């Protein structure tokens, strides 16, 4: 018999309560105050007739009633064997799903899993169909049904086992939901030559750790006739401690040394609590003084490790020496290209130096944890990205009546980003901007045609510019946008103008969408330039004045865009620069334009690394150097680097840009506690757990516990029995009360 | 002229109580309790068959010309329209000392009032009665030590002081009868009436020696032993832990099993106390707190009537 809520069985302990109370009553606690004990002698308590249980039957009936109530609340049910194969004449279909996630690297887990799988494969009959899959971050089909059936029956198991022997646990996480649903869908497919779904059994061989991702099973409709048998593997040694990079969002104080913050987590079933943590070389030895950390089981602690000065020397903008992109490239089907180290002797040397510079000191090592698979973590050195903002206009940085003065003060400066403003007077030479270099442009009114033409080119390549409009800027506007002349008219407001019809869905205004921040009515405009937005093809009006004239318009130009602002932000024209909205708007503009990118602190093994997250768009093919020295080339069309399967520091180079990024183990993989036994049941998976293959009966499968219980509803019968017992008890108690003599009053 | 009321029916039994004890003890004021008992006693006295219930009261005598009109009993005159003279003897010589036990053992009662309250009412009643007769009354209250001492006086306000002293709650850790008797013997040189009110639930060895010294000093000694009915019968229903009211000592007692032994030991103690009193010429009155005070007072004076003459003669 099984129970859906076994904790309610504890209620049966209440059976002992009447007996205990009865026994407690034996030793009286009544106290009588008496004038003098002169004539009293000690009289030890004796077991009198009253303190004995007089009516055993009543006691037993009451105890039975309590026990039955507890049993009913525990929702018992009987496991009924549901036939896996409704038609016994059919052969079995099995998908053997072997976990190859990082947590399977623990002591002896994967060899045990392999052994189980081989045993299952050998046990498959000649008419059976079996598939052997492995899964970590991705699901790999080592052998599918079609190949299985195509092979001679006697060599099937050996072939599949041979392929499994080449597999080792990787560094990916455990997307259990994805693997199970993929396998279930495969089993639910209609087999060739048949008209109904085949059904079958998934045999899951895994450590079923707590960090497995099972959320995807929530709400997923499990197909009929597909059942799961789970073989949970347990390591010889329990407990684990893991590392995780902790983000540091606080601004860097003046004089503060940058630090790498690492969260050390100790599993509740760990036995140790003393650890050492510090910077290390790849060899496994600390390169500096290590910190002693005490983390009791079940708790975590954040440890700050200061970056030393030599570690901070970031190779962000240095010329891309190591990766000569014109080397031999082999493009694979994934639209990425891999270059072998052997084919690049020149780059190999440079790569080795580079690797040495990076790897030897950018690894954080944990000692004291026996499960070593998650004891290292890589971190890229802190980098401040420099962004160039070019301002076209005949203004001085110190002229407080001009927009440049305010722009210079409003551009953001943070730990990750430093925006440098470069004024470009009309007579100055045009700036040289390299492909991929982060840049944004501002222009005030009438600018020389050369500059307007330059801006047009930059916008064509995907950059963003903001033009402050005036009537004299009509030629510049036409040149930049590449359209015909747009009539412009300077308007001086009678009183003042306000912004209205703001498009809060546009990325520029999304931060202001909250009603707390959406009030722009306090920003008054004294003068603006009137123009017809319709004259600019493809333009989108982001905000209008209350007169209905466009205030801010986005005009697409090639791959880039031009933002046309109909009024200046200096106090002479408006209150925009002095309002609290100005700096957030500029930040939004910088982020939206792609000039400022804050890449994540780390990526996880198996995860696709999008090039735009690294700020490597528009720079052509990107070469990514793996920790082991191999190189993969990612084409712009692919958009993401998908070969980050191994933890370590990767270096991506595109154009003149070089970006380092760390790839680490998914922290969920460090949560090695066993998954709660009923978790899969709760998610509606028809699962049956087995400690070993011998206890697994392939011809039968269990139905989900909740469904079985709700179908059987044993609790109703138990409740009826409890009521019957209580009825009998009441009758008996009434009878015995009548028989008992009336209690006589005792004089005191 | 008819005979005085007290001279009629000399052999009639003691009158039934006119005051319900529970009602009496429910009166909070000790002074009013004493007043009620004395008034009841007086009214009963005049219908009483006994002659001379007062400590020193002798008789009523019909007035004859030449008698001092100050001694006329105007109350009797008001009722009977006849002149009677109240005759007293030794009006100013009687000094009564009340020795009242106020220890914690007296703070016990199962009837709704404690032995201490009963004893205090008894003492206050005696004091009031004697005071009204013009006798000097003193008080010595005690527990394990002496508490209050008021010399025997007969002055206005003295009764009030006695009642205030009697109204104090019980205290002390034990009953010590030795010290107060020793002390009163030392202090009172003149012969007097010593009334000791206690439960006498204490070993009698040392007490005997002190009682000898008291009676040897010529004091007339009367002992009132106040006991609760539960102490006399140990009538408790369930076994429980008995706690000594004075020492706090605890003892598990099953009353059903312990009753026989308790009663035997209590009886032995009572007999020893009675024998001691007989030997020393002291008078012992055992009073259950259930007994009406008025009757207790009647017993007391009845007993005095029997013995009073001898005592008076001995005193002279």
């Amino acid at each position: 018999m099984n129970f859906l809520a076994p904790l309610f069985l504890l209620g049966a302990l209440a059976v002992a309560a009447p007996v205990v109370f009865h026994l407690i009553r034996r030793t009286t606690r009544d106290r009588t105050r008496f004038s003098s004990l002169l004539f009293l002698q000690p009289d030890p308590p004796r077991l009198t007739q009253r303190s004995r249980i007089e009516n055993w039957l009543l006691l037993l009936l009451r105890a039975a009633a309590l026990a039955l109530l507890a049993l009913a609340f525990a929702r018992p049910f009987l496991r009924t064997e549901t036939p896996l194969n409704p038609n016994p004449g059919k052969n079995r279909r099995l998908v053997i799903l072997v976990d190859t996630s990082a947590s399977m690297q623990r002591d002896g887990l994967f060899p045990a899993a392999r052994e189980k799988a081989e045993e299952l494969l050998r046990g498959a009959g000649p008419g059976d169909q079996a598939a052997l899959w492995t899964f970590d971050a991705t699901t790999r089909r080592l052998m599918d049904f079609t190949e299985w059936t195509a092979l001679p029956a006697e060599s099937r198991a050996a072939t599949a086992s041979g392929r499994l022997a080449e597999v080792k646990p990787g560094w990916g996480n455990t997307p259990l939901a994805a693997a199970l649903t993929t396998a279930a869908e495969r089993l639910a497919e209609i087999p060739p030559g048949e008209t109904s779904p085949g059904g079958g059994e998934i045999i899951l061989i895994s450590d079923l750790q707590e960090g497995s991702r099972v959320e995807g099973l929530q709400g997923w409709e499990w197909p009929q006739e597909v059942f799961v048998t789970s073989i949970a593997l347990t390591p010889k040694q329990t407990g684990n401690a893991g590392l995780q990079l902790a983000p540091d969002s606080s601004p860097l104080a003046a004089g503060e040394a940058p630090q790498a913050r690492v969260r050390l987590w100790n599993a509740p079933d760990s036995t140790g609590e003393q650890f050492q943590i510090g910077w290390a070389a790849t060899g496994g030895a600390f390169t500096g003084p290590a910190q002693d950390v005490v983390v009791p089981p079940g708790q975590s602690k954040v440890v700050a490790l200061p970056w030393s000065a030599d570690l901070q020397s970031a190779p962000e903008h240095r010329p891309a020496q190591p990766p000569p992109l014109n080397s031999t490239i082999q493009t694979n089907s994934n639209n990425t290209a891999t270059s072998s180290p052997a084919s690049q002797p020149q780059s190999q040397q440079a790569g080795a130096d580079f690797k040495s510079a990076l790897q030897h000191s950018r690894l954080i090592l944990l000692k004291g944890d026996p499960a070593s698979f998650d004891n290292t973590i890589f971190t890229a050195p802190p980098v401040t990205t420099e962004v160039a903002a070019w301002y076209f206009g005949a203004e001085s940085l110190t002229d407080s009546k001009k927009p440049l003065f305010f722009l210079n003060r409003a551009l953001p400066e943070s730990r990750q980003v430093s925006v440098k403003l470069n004024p470009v007077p009309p007579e100055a030479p045009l700036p040289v901007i390299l492909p991929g270099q982060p840049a944004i442009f501002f222009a005030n009114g009438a600018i020389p045609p050369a500059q307007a033409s330059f801006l047009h080119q930059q916008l064509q390549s995907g950059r963003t510019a903001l033009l402050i409009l005036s009537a004299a800027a009509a030629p510049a506007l036409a040149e930049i946008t590449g359209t015909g002349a747009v009539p412009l008219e300077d308007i001086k407001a009678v009183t003042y103008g306000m912004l209205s019809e703001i498009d809060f869905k546009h990325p520029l205004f999304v931060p202001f969408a909250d009603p707390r921040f959406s009030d722009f009515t306090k920003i008054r405009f004294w003068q603006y330039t009137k123009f017809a937005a319709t004259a600019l093809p493809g333009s989108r009006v982001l905000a209008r004045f209350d007169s209905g004239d466009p205030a801010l318009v986005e005009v697409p130009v090639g791959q880039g865009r031009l933002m046309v602002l109909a009024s200046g932000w200096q106090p002479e024209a408006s209150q925009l620069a002095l309002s609290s909205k100005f700096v957030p708007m500029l930040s939004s503009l910088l982020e939206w334009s792609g000039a400022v990118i804050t890449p994540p602190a780390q990526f996880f093994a198996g995860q696709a690394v999008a090039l735009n997250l690294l700020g490597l768009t528009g720079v052509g093919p990107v070469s990514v150097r793996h920790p082991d020295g191999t190189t993969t080339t990612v084409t712009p069309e692919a958009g993401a680097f998908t070969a980050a399967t191994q933890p370590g520091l990767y270096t991506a180079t595109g154009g003149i840009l070089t970006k380092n990024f760390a790839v680490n183990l998914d922290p969920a993989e460090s949560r090695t506690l066993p998954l709660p036994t009923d978790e899969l049941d709760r998610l509606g998976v028809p699962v049956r757990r087995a400690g070993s293959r011998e206890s697994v009966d392939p011809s039968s499968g269990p139905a989900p516990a909740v469904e079985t219980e709700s179908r059987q509803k044993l609790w109703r019968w138990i409740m009826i029995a409890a009521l019957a017992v209580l009825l009998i008890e009441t009758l008996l108690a009434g009878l015995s009360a009548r028989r008992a003599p009336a209690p006589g009053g005792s004089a005191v | 002229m008819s005979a005085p009321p007290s001279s009629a029916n000399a052999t009639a039994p003691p009158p039934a109580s006119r005051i319900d004890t529970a009602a009496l003890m429910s009166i909070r004021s000790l002074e009013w309790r004493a007043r009620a008992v004395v008034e009841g006693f007086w009214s009963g006295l005049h219908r009483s068959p006994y002659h001379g219930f007062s400590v020193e009261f002798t008789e009523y005598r019909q007035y004859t010309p030449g008698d001092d009109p100050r001694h006329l009993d105007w109350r009797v005159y008001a009722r009977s329209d006849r002149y009677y003279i109240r005759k007293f003897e030794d009006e100013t010589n009687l000094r009564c000392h009340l020795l009242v036990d106020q220890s914690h053992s007296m703070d016990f009662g199962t009837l709704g009032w404690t032995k201490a309250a009963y004893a205090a009412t008894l003492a206050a009643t005696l004091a009031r009665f004697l005071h009204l007769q013009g006798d000097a009354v003193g008080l010595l209250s005690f527990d394990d030590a002496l508490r209050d001492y008021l010399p025997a006086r007969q002055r206005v306000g003295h009764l009030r002081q006695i009642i205030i002293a009697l109204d104090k709650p019980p205290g002390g850790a034990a009953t010590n009868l030795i010290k107060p008797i020793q002390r009163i013997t030392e202090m009172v040189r003149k012969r007097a009436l010593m009334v000791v009110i206690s439960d006498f639930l204490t070993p009698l060895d040392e007490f005997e020696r002190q009682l000898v010294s008291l009676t040897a000093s010529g004091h007339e000694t009367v002992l009132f032993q106040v006991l609760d009915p539960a102490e006399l019968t140990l009538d408790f229903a369930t076994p429980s832990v008995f706690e000594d009211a004075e020492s706090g000592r605890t003892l598990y007692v099953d009353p059903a099993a312990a009753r026989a032994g308790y009663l035997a030991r209590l009886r032995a103690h009572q007999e020893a106390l009675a024998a001691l009193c007989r030997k020393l010429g002291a008078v012992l009155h055992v009073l259950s707190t259930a007994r009406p005070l008025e009757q207790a007072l009647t017993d007391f004076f009845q007993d005095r009537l029997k013995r009073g003459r001898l005592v008076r003669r001995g005193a002279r």
Side-chain angles (χ1 to χ4, degrees), chain A residues 30-32 34-35 39 43 746, chain B residues 231 240-241 243 245 252 265:
Chain A
D30 295 340
R31 292 179 88 89
T32 303
F34 199 58
S35 53
F39 310 122
D43 179 26
S746 58
Chain B
E231 290 174 329
S240 62
V241 177
E243 180 186 356
Y252 179 84
R265 282 184 284 276

Side-chain angles (χ1 to χ4, degrees), chain A residues 626-718:
Chain A
H626 291 248
D628 58 3
T630 57
T631 306
T632 301
T633 301
V634 184
T635 59
E637 292 77 22
F641 170 60
T642 55
T645 54
Q646 189 181 355
L649 271 182
Y650 289 71
T651 306
T653 309
I656 62 159
L657 294 180
T658 302
K659 299 277 185 181
N660 297 311
F661 60 94
V663 173
N664 286 311
L665 190 62
D666 189 342
E669 208 56 18
S670 298
R671 292 162 55 204
T672 52
L673 273 183
L675 198 70
T677 50
D678 59 344
E679 183 68 11
L680 291 177
D681 278 334
R682 192 181 63 79
L683 292 166
V685 178
V687 70
R688 168 170 166 174
R689 289 174 186 275
S692 64
R693 180 64 183 88
E694 285 73 27
S695 63
V696 178
D697 180 7
S699 66
S700 65
V706 179
E707 286 178 19
T708 310
E709 196 276 336
S710 64
R711 194 172 61 247
Q712 295 176 347
K713 286 193 172 61
L714 290 182
W715 65 271
R716 289 187 180 180
W717 297 107
I718 297 170

Side-chain angles (χ1 to χ4, degrees), chain A residues 26 28-46 48 746-748, chain B residues 105 107-108 201 231 235-237 239-245 249-250 252 254 257 262 265-266 269:
Chain A
R26 282 178 54 190
T28 179
R29 291 175 186 276
D30 295 340
R31 292 179 88 89
T32 303
R33 200 162 178 268
F34 199 58
S35 53
S36 174
L37 303 183
L38 190 64
F39 310 122
L40 286 168
Q41 296 290 323
D43 179 26
R46 284 172 299 177
T48 64
S746 58
V748 176
Chain B
S105 69
D107 190 20
F108 172 75
L201 296 178
E231 290 174 329
D235 194 7
F236 293 97
S240 62
V241 177
F242 277 55
E243 180 186 356
D244 193 300
R249 192 164 68 93
T250 57
Y252 179 84
D254 183 355
Y262 172 85
R265 282 184 284 276
L266 178 66
H269 178 82

Side-chain angles (χ1 to χ4, degrees), chain A residues 441 451-467 476-484 486 535-540 553-564 592-593:
Chain A
F441 304 95
Q451 289 184 351
S453 175
F454 170 80
L455 279 180
H456 180 74
Q457 289 170 10
Q458 292 298 324
L459 297 190
Q460 287 284 352
S461 65
R463 298 187 192 278
T464 302
L466 186 140
L467 174 66
L477 178 62
E479 181 66 32
I480 295 171
T481 56
T483 59
V486 179
L536 300 168
S539 64
R540 176 182 176 184
V553 177
E554 177 192 350
V555 186
V557 180
Q559 294 180 9
R561 58 187 78 83
L562 175 71
M563 309 300 292
V564 181
W592 175 58
S593 67

Side-chain angles (χ1 to χ4, degrees), chain B:
Chain B
M1 186 172 281
S2 63
S6 58
S7 61
N9 303 326
T11 56
S17 173
R18 298 166 67 110
I19 308 171
D20 178 53
T21 312
L24 175 74
M25 297 307 290
S26 65
I27 300 173
R28 287 187 62 186
S29 166
L30 178 61
E31 187 177 354
W32 278 99
R33 285 209 296 268
R35 188 185 290 253
V37 177
V38 171
E39 292 296 325
F41 179 72
W42 270 120
S43 61
L45 181 67
H46 291 283
R47 293 185 291 105
S48 167
Y50 302 104
H51 175 71
F53 275 84
S54 166
V55 175
E56 303 300 330
F57 176 80
T58 54
E59 61 183 347
Y60 281 102
R61 181 176 59 79
Q62 199 160 11
Y63 173 77
T64 54
D67 285 340
D68 190 345
R70 286 184 301 175
H71 294 150
L72 277 173
D73 190 331
W74 297 107
R75 292 184 181 179
V76 177
Y77 172 72
R79 285 197 298 271
S80 62
D81 201 22
R82 292 182 178 87
Y83 295 110
Y84 280 93
I85 298 289
R86 293 179 71 191
K87 292 196 71 178
F88 296 94
E89 282 189 42
D90 200 10
E91 288 181 69
T92 55
N93 284 343
L94 180 70
R95 292 171 179 273
C96 178
H97 291 269
L98 300 169
L99 282 75
V100 181
D101 181 2
Q102 289 186 329
S103 66
H104 269 307
S105 69
M106 296 291 285
D107 190 20
F108 172 75
T110 56
L111 297 176
W113 55 89
T114 63
K115 294 193 292 179
Y118 190 89
T121 311
L122 175 63
T125 304
L126 284 172
R128 181 174 177 78
F129 184 83
L130 294 170
H131 183 80
L132 288 177
Q133 287 200 147
D135 296 327
V137 186
L139 174 71
L140 177 70
S141 62
F142 60 92
D143 40 54
D144 56 340
L146 301 180
R147 299 183 78 179
D148 294 299
Y149 174 65
L150 297 170
R153 289 198 182 102
Q154 210 283 327
R155 64 171 66 159
V156 178
H158 187 64
L159 180 63
R160 174 80 182 149
Q161 286 183 12
I162 289 175
I163 286 178
I164 288 171
L166 284 171
D167 220 3
K168 289 182 180 174
T175 305
N176 188 344
L177 289 163
I178 314 301
K179 275 188 187 173
I181 294 176
Q182 190 179 2
R183 183 77 179 140
I184 204 81
T185 310
E186 291 166 3
M187 286 191 298
V188 180
R189 296 294 179 187
K190 209 172 176 182
R191 187 178 57 83
L193 172 63
M194 297 292 175
V195 178
V196 187
I197 304 174
S198 172
D199 53 9
F200 296 104
L201 296 178
T202 179
L204 298 175
D205 309 338
E206 184 67 15
F207 175 63
E208 180 181 357
R209 213 150 45 85
Q210 297 303 327
L211 201 61
V212 166
S213 67
L214 191 66
T215 52
S217 302
H219 299 301
E220 184 184 356
T221 307
V222 178
L223 309 182
F224 279 99
Q225 187 183 25
V226 180
L227 292 172
D228 191 87
E231 290 174 329
L232 293 167
T233 58
L234 198 70
D235 194 7
F236 293 97
T238 54
S240 62
V241 177
F242 277 55
E243 180 186 356
D244 193 300
E246 288 181 341
S247 64
R249 192 164 68 93
T250 57
L251 205 64
Y252 179 84
V253 174
D254 183 355
R259 187 170 292 123
Y262 172 85
L263 292 179
R265 282 184 284 276
L266 178 66
R267 201 178 305 117
H269 178 82
Q270 293 294 90
E271 285 170 359
L273 183 63
L276 177 64
C277 290
R278 274 196 306 274
K279 189 170 80 178
L280 298 178
V283 180
L284 172 67
H285 292 280
V286 180
L287 297 179
S288 164
T289 54
R291 186 174 170 79
L293 265 169
E294 192 187 342
Q295 291 182 12
L297 214 56
T298 307
D299 287 352
F300 167 61
F301 287 117
Q302 201 172 4
D303 189 73
R304 277 199 57 78
L305 184 66
K306 291 175 186 170
R307 303 167 48 93
R309 305 290 175 187
L310 285 173
V311 174
R312 261 200 320 276
R313 267 201 299 275
R316 281 171 190 163

Side-chain angles (χ1 to χ4, degrees), chain A residues 255-517:
Chain A
E256 182 193 350
Q259 295 175 327
R261 286 156 52 84
V262 180
R263 180 177 289 111
L264 171 56
W265 184 78
N266 197 9
D269 58 348
S270 293
T271 51
E273 60 176 23
Q274 294 192 336
F275 304 96
Q276 280 189 313
I277 187 168
W279 296 104
T282 47
F286 291 120
T287 54
Q291 290 189 28
D292 291 319
V293 187
V294 176
V295 182
Q299 296 187 19
S300 67
K301 190 173 188 177
V302 174
V303 182
L305 296 170
W307 285 91
S308 60
D310 59 321
L311 295 176
Q312 294 178 53
S313 54
E316 280 296 298
H317 288 299
R318 65 182 179 183
Q321 291 170 0
L325 298 181
N326 53 358
S327 57
T328 309
I329 293 175
Q330 297 170 347
T331 305
N332 58 22
S333 61
N334 207 11
N335 211 8
T336 60
T338 304
S339 61
S340 147
S343 64
Q344 301 175 3
Q346 186 185 358
S347 68
Q348 188 179 14
Q349 181 57 42
D353 294 341
F354 190 52
K355 179 184 167 189
S356 168
L358 280 180
Q359 304 286 82
H360 279 190
S361 299
R362 284 163 192 175
L363 180 144
I364 297 169
L365 178 67
L366 172 71
K367 284 190 176 177
D369 174 29
S372 61
F373 73 98
D374 57 349
N375 285 1
T376 53
I377 194 167
F378 294 87
T379 173
V383 169
T384 303
T385 308
E386 287 187 2
V387 178
W390 304 94
Y391 187 90
F392 296 91
E395 295 166 26
S396 161
L397 276 169
T398 56
D399 187 356
S400 63
K401 291 185 178 177
K402 298 295 180 187
L404 179 61
F405 178 82
F406 297 96
L407 184 65
N408 189 34
R409 281 156 180 76
L411 287 173
E413 182 83 28
S414 70
R415 186 179 286 201
Q416 286 89 15
V417 179
S418 169
V419 183
K420 189 182 176 190
L421 183 62
N422 306 299
V424 185
E427 66 279 5
L430 292 171
V432 177
I433 297 170
L434 298 171
Q437 184 181 351
I440 188 166
F441 304 95
F442 296 90
N444 186 8
I447 56 171
Q451 289 184 351
S453 175
F454 170 80
L455 279 180
H456 180 74
Q457 289 170 10
Q458 292 298 324
L459 297 190
Q460 287 284 352
S461 65
R463 298 187 192 278
T464 302
L466 186 140
L467 174 66
I468 303 170
L469 214 54
S470 65
L477 178 62
E479 181 66 32
I480 295 171
T481 56
T483 59
V486 179
L488 303 178
E489 179 191 358
D490 282 341
I491 301 285
K492 213 161 184 111
V494 179
T495 52
Y496 57 85
M498 291 186 299
L499 289 181
S500 65
E501 298 180 42
I502 297 169
D503 184 359
F504 286 111
K505 290 178 182 172
H506 191 273
L508 197 61
F509 287 108
V510 161
F512 305 101
D514 191 292
R516 289 176 296 171
F517 314 121

